[in-house]
Amino acid sequence: MNEFFTILTTVGAAKLANATALGTTIEITEMAVGDGGGKAVTPNQSQTSLVHTLRRKPLNSITIDPDNPNWVICEQVLPPEIGGWTIREVGLFDTAGDLIAVGNFPETYKPLLSEGSGRTQTIRIVLEVSSASSVELKIDPSVVLATREYVNQQDASVLQQAKDYASQQDTSLKAYVDTQDKAGQTAAKADATKKANQTLDDAKGYADSQDAKMLASAKADASNKANAAESAAKNYAQAQDNSLKTYVDTQDKSYQTAATTDAMKKANQALADAKSYADSQDAKMLASAKTDASSKASAAESSAKNYASQQDNIVQAQALAAAKSYANTQDAATLKSANSHTDGAVNTALSKAKSYADAQDAKVLSSANTDASSKANAAESSAKSYADTKDAAHVRASDPHSQYLNESRFNSVIGSYLSNNPQATVGQIILVPATTAPSGYLKANGASLSRSTYAKLWAYAQASGNLVDEKSKDIGNFGSGDGSSTFTVPDLRGEFLRFLDDGRGVDSSRTIGSYQAQAIQSHYHRVGHSSSNLGSDGIAGGSHDRYYKNTTSTGGTETRPRNIALLACIKY
């Protein structure tokens, strides 16, 4: 690895990633130099400033390397009157004042003119980025100081033009002199030499004056055009930025409020309607089964009673006929000796006939009752079995009420609604009355995620100010994961939310995402005593042994208010 190098800071990497993802740019405007506190330094991504800053001024130049399109070259010129210290570290800052890149520098002493030696020194930082279009190439022309390399290039060009012109004149004059010399005109040769020297001096003077004029004109023209272009660009960009921010803020607030209110209202109404419909359907099915069973039992009982009554009538008729036949037979046999028979004999015969009829009637009635009871029990058992079969099928069905929303269909409807509404932004936390996250969201359960798969959420985490090292993170922070390819989301499961104090003073000294354990507000309990003879410590006076006793504990395993459990999800 190189001994001297420049790296992006954590803030710089996050801003560059966000600019690349959103198609915007970051504007690097200043360079700082420092002495590292008197010793060599190693750049660190977590730096927000140099170890010891000596000078921080606007850039003199920011360009893209012509041979490497992903290299951004930033330069600052240190004039002779600046110095008296050793340069060991450098850094680049954006318009927000954030340190974007930091690097170490070969130990170099920058002298002051008052020390007897002075020089103009150019500090150059080469920044390698994934896309140079994400970096705005703009400088303030009021602080531009030309480097010696630029001036030398311009001087060399003009000087070469002057030399070429003088060379042409010299060649012409030499040819003329040679011609005159050959003709033997010595005087003309001397005069020609004098004229040649004068012409050469005039050419050099002209070249010097033209060089100064061209350089001054080029600088003035470039400065005027740069000032005009920058002023127009700044005015236009500021106007567009203000207009866009106002429009986005208004639309975002309006959409979020309306969408959240409408979604929760529709979800609650859908759940209420579904529950009401399910209850009515269950009540109807149970009432129908009971009515059907009751009807069948009543029909069976009525049929049994009719059958028993018919059998009873038949038996009674048969018994009466038998009794009458017996009586008639007895009457005919004893008619001749009727005078010798007593009323007791007749009564005995009638009694026997009645007993026989009653016995027959009891047998038939018992048989009829047994048969009716059996049929009624069978009908009731059949009705109960039918009702139980219907209830069991209803209970076992995975989706018995397809006409109203269950949890799965609720998740599908809400997920579709949320995924098709662009006002939901990456990193937004929502609460849903379901056990699965809607489409486009993840559970806020502290899971480890791929930085590449969830690139937008990773970019949001880096820019949120809530990204910390995995070993020291609280459950409400984003974590750095394995440090290279993964990161973790906040874990909100089983926790109450408390909004950031943000300077109000009710819950101060808290950072975003920090965890706070449970607590009970400081208080005391008053203990009554029937004696009026109390000492200063609240214990009855007189001779006694002082002792203390704990009260019986009560309550659960934590302190909490009444609450409702909802699933916390985060937009990716």
Side-chain angles (χ1 to χ4, degrees), residues 325-519:
S325 177
Y326 178 78
N328 289 334
T329 301
Q330 293 298 317
D331 185 51
T334 60
L335 183 59
K336 293 181 180 180
S337 57
N339 291 332
S340 62
H341 289 280
T342 63
D343 291 337
V346 175
N347 291 334
T348 299
L350 290 175
S351 177
K352 289 181 179 180
K354 187 176 183 300
S355 296
Y356 176 78
D358 289 342
Q360 293 299 313
D361 187 25
K363 289 180 180 179
V364 173
L365 183 60
S366 176
S367 176
N369 286 337
T370 301
D371 186 56
S373 177
S374 177
K375 290 183 177 179
N377 289 336
E380 182 179 8
S381 176
S382 177
K384 286 184 177 179
S385 177
Y386 175 78
D388 290 343
T389 301
K390 290 294 186 182
D391 285 344
H394 179 76
V395 171
R396 286 196 303 270
S398 60
D399 191 9
H401 300 295
S402 60
Q403 64 275 23
Y404 66 86
L405 285 175
N406 61 11
E407 183 178 346
S408 176
R409 276 190 289 277
F410 174 80
N411 288 339
S412 176
V413 171
I414 295 301
S416 175
Y417 175 82
L418 292 175
S419 63
N420 292 326
N421 283 269
Q423 70 274 8
T425 57
V426 173
Q428 180 177 341
I429 299 290
I430 66 170
L431 303 177
V432 297
T435 57
T436 56
S439 176
Y441 289 79
L442 297 169
K443 292 182 179 180
N445 59 1
S448 177
L449 304 176
S450 167
R451 296 184 181 183
S452 58
T453 303
Y454 299 95
K456 290 185 179 180
L457 185 57
W458 169 236
Y460 173 83
Q462 294 178 86
S464 67
N466 191 26
L467 177 64
V468 299
D469 182 73
E470 198 67 40
K471 294 181 179 179
S472 58
K473 66 167 288 199
D474 276 341
I475 60 175
N477 299 131
F478 286 99
S480 59
D482 62 5
S484 60
S485 62
T486 65
F487 70 104
T488 56
V489 296
D491 189 355
L492 305 184
R493 295 174 298 173
E495 301 294 342
F496 290 100
L497 299 180
R498 184 170 189 172
F499 299 110
L500 184 66
D501 183 273
D502 199 22
R504 184 184 176 194
V506 176
D507 184 32
S508 57
S509 302
R510 295 284 302 283
T511 58
I512 192 73
S514 62
Y515 174 76
Q516 187 178 55
Q518 63 179 352

Side-chain angles (χ1 to χ4, degrees), residues 108-449:
T108 304
Y109 182 77
K110 176 63 174 65
L112 279 171
L113 284 173
S114 59
E115 295 175 344
S117 175
R119 69 169 179 268
T120 298
Q121 184 166 346
T122 301
I123 305 297
R124 178 180 291 108
I125 296 178
V126 178
L127 190 63
E128 184 175 4
V129 297
S130 60
S131 174
S133 62
S134 298
V135 180
E136 187 169 356
L137 307 179
K138 187 192 317 186
I139 61 172
D140 185 356
S142 63
V143 298
V144 170
L145 182 63
T147 62
R148 182 178 299 276
E149 179 183 1
Y150 173 82
V151 175
N152 289 340
Q153 289 175 350
Q154 296 298 318
D155 285 346
S157 176
V158 175
L159 183 60
Q160 186 60 45
Q161 293 178 8
K163 286 182 177 180
D164 292 341
Y165 176 78
S167 177
Q168 293 174 359
Q169 295 297 318
D170 187 48
T171 301
S172 177
L173 287 172
K174 283 184 178 179
Y176 175 78
V177 170
D178 289 340
T179 301
Q180 294 300 317
D181 185 61
K182 290 178 181 179
Q185 298 180 3
T186 305
K189 181 178 179 181
D191 185 59
T193 301
K194 182 178 179 181
K195 289 181 179 180
N197 292 333
Q198 184 60 46
T199 300
L200 184 58
D201 291 339
D202 291 344
K204 288 183 178 180
Y206 177 78
D208 291 340
S209 65
Q210 290 299 310
D211 182 18
K213 289 179 181 179
M214 288 176 64
L215 185 58
S217 176
K219 288 182 178 179
D221 185 57
S223 178
N224 290 336
K225 288 182 179 179
N227 288 337
E230 182 182 14
S231 178
K234 282 185 176 180
N235 292 337
Y236 177 77
Q238 187 63 46
Q240 292 297 313
D241 186 45
N242 292 339
S243 176
L244 183 59
K245 284 182 177 178
T246 301
Y247 176 78
V248 169
D249 289 343
T250 301
Q251 293 298 312
D252 187 41
K253 291 178 181 178
S254 175
Y255 285 159
Q256 287 189 20
T257 301
T260 302
T261 302
D262 185 60
M264 292 308 296
K265 181 178 180 181
K266 289 180 179 179
N268 290 333
Q269 185 60 46
L271 287 175
D273 292 344
K275 186 178 184 301
S276 176
Y277 181 81
D279 291 342
S280 67
Q281 290 299 311
D282 286 344
K284 287 179 181 179
M285 290 182 65
L286 184 59
S288 176
K290 288 182 177 179
T291 300
D292 187 50
S294 178
S295 297
K296 290 183 178 181
S298 296
E301 183 179 7
S302 177
S303 177
K305 286 182 177 180
N306 291 334
Y307 177 77
S309 178
Q310 292 172 0
Q311 294 297 315
D312 186 41
N313 291 335
I314 293 172
V315 170
Q316 286 183 7
Q318 290 175 348
L320 183 59
K324 285 182 178 181
S325 177
Y326 178 78
N328 289 334
T329 301
Q330 293 298 317
D331 185 51
T334 60
L335 183 59
K336 293 181 180 180
S337 57
N339 291 332
S340 62
H341 289 280
T342 63
D343 291 337
V346 175
N347 291 334
T348 299
L350 290 175
S351 177
K352 289 181 179 180
K354 187 176 183 300
S355 296
Y356 176 78
D358 289 342
Q360 293 299 313
D361 187 25
K363 289 180 180 179
V364 173
L365 183 60
S366 176
S367 176
N369 286 337
T370 301
D371 186 56
S373 177
S374 177
K375 290 183 177 179
N377 289 336
E380 182 179 8
S381 176
S382 177
K384 286 184 177 179
S385 177
Y386 175 78
D388 290 343
T389 301
K390 290 294 186 182
D391 285 344
H394 179 76
V395 171
R396 286 196 303 270
S398 60
D399 191 9
H401 300 295
S402 60
Q403 64 275 23
Y404 66 86
L405 285 175
N406 61 11
E407 183 178 346
S408 176
R409 276 190 289 277
F410 174 80
N411 288 339
S412 176
V413 171
I414 295 301
S416 175
Y417 175 82
L418 292 175
S419 63
N420 292 326
N421 283 269
Q423 70 274 8
T425 57
V426 173
Q428 180 177 341
I429 299 290
I430 66 170
L431 303 177
V432 297
T435 57
T436 56
S439 176
Y441 289 79
L442 297 169
K443 292 182 179 180
N445 59 1
S448 177
L449 304 176

Side-chain angles (χ1 to χ4, degrees), residues 28-33 55 57-66 72-78 90-92 105 120-127 137-140 143-151 153:
I28 301 175
T29 57
E30 294 182 322
M31 181 187 294
V33 296
R55 183 177 188 267
K57 294 293 181 180
L59 292 171
N60 294 108
S61 172
I62 179 169
T63 59
I64 294 181
D65 189 283
V72 178
I73 302 175
C74 303
E75 292 184 347
Q76 186 182 85
V77 178
L78 304 181
V90 293
L92 296 175
F105 196 83
T120 298
Q121 184 166 346
T122 301
I123 305 297
R124 178 180 291 108
I125 296 178
V126 178
L127 190 63
L137 307 179
K138 187 192 317 186
I139 61 172
D140 185 356
V143 298
V144 170
L145 182 63
T147 62
R148 182 178 299 276
E149 179 183 1
Y150 173 82
V151 175
Q153 289 175 350

